[in-house]
Amino acid sequence: MSINRVIALILATLIIVLMGYLISQESTNVVVEKKQISQEKPIAKVVIKSEEEQKLEDLKKQAGSTLKVSNLYVVRCSSCHGKKGEGTRVAPSIMGKSQEYILKKLDDYKNDRVSNSLMKGLLNNATALQLEELAKEISNFK
Ligand code: HEC
């Protein structure tokens, strides 16, 4: 009986030591792999950015400019000029115009250089920054 117990104990400790050894081996392997990955990453990034990522970024920019419409435009402008500036019966299309052109127009209305009671009333309390943002946004409508 007691010899059996001693053998069982020895076996158990052997197994535990083995398992500990295996685990420590595995974890060092993992660490090494991680190190290799983190060393390779910057190189891979540079390569990708020059081709695929650049395309992706361009696509994202395009999607952002055509799909996203600011709250300001939706609330203040879209009722007359349409959801994407395509124009309605009330107001002309403002689609496909340059940022400079739109900004100048808005500024003209606001400062009464071009009198239009509809547009002036709307722009009376818009800030210069808001006008600039609107102009930038509208110039991207397609
Ligand atoms: C109540 C209706 C109405 C709303 C709302 C409105 N507009 Fe207008 N908008 C007009 C009308 C009408 C004209 C044409 C005026 C004219 O011929 O001088 C115009 C003209 C313009 C023009 C000049 C177009 C061109 O080619 O000459 C721009 C740019 C413009 N609006 C931008 C905006 C922006 C930005 C907003 C939101 C802040 C806005 N509008 C809100 C009615 C509206």
Side-chain angles (χ1 to χ4, degrees), residues 19-123:
M19 276 171 73
Y21 176 72
L22 281 179
I23 289 170
S24 70
Q25 279 260 310
E26 243 173 64
S27 58
T28 53
N29 277 349
V30 170
V31 169
V32 170
E33 267 170 31
K34 266 187 193 159
K35 263 188 194 162
Q36 281 175 343
I37 289 170
S38 63
Q39 277 171 351
E40 277 168 15
K41 224 176 188 178
I43 301 166
K45 229 181 190 173
V46 172
V47 173
I48 293 170
K49 187 137 197 186
S50 62
E51 295 172 23
E52 302 260 313
E53 236 175 71
Q54 195 57 49
K55 271 187 208 161
L56 248 180
E57 260 171 36
D58 289 350
L59 275 177
K60 268 187 204 161
K61 269 184 211 156
Q62 279 178 11
S65 58
T66 48
L67 296 180
K68 229 197 281 166
V69 178
S70 72
N71 238 358
L72 189 62
Y73 180 82
V74 172
V75 172
R76 289 274 205 86
C77 324
S78 68
S79 54
C80 291
H81 288 283
K83 266 189 201 136
K84 289 166 71 192
E86 72 272 27
T88 63
R89 257 184 294 165
V90 193
S93 161
I94 48 174
M95 211 185 235
K97 301 212 182 333
S98 74
Q99 184 177 345
E100 294 77 31
Y101 175 89
I102 292 167
L103 188 57
K104 174 156 192 329
K105 275 284 177 178
L106 295 182
D107 206 55
D108 283 349
Y109 288 127
K110 182 170 169 159
N111 296 307
D112 250 344
R113 277 190 295 270
V114 175
S115 65
N116 180 287
S117 53
L118 282 178
M119 288 296 298
K120 178 168 168 52
L122 276 160
L123 299 173

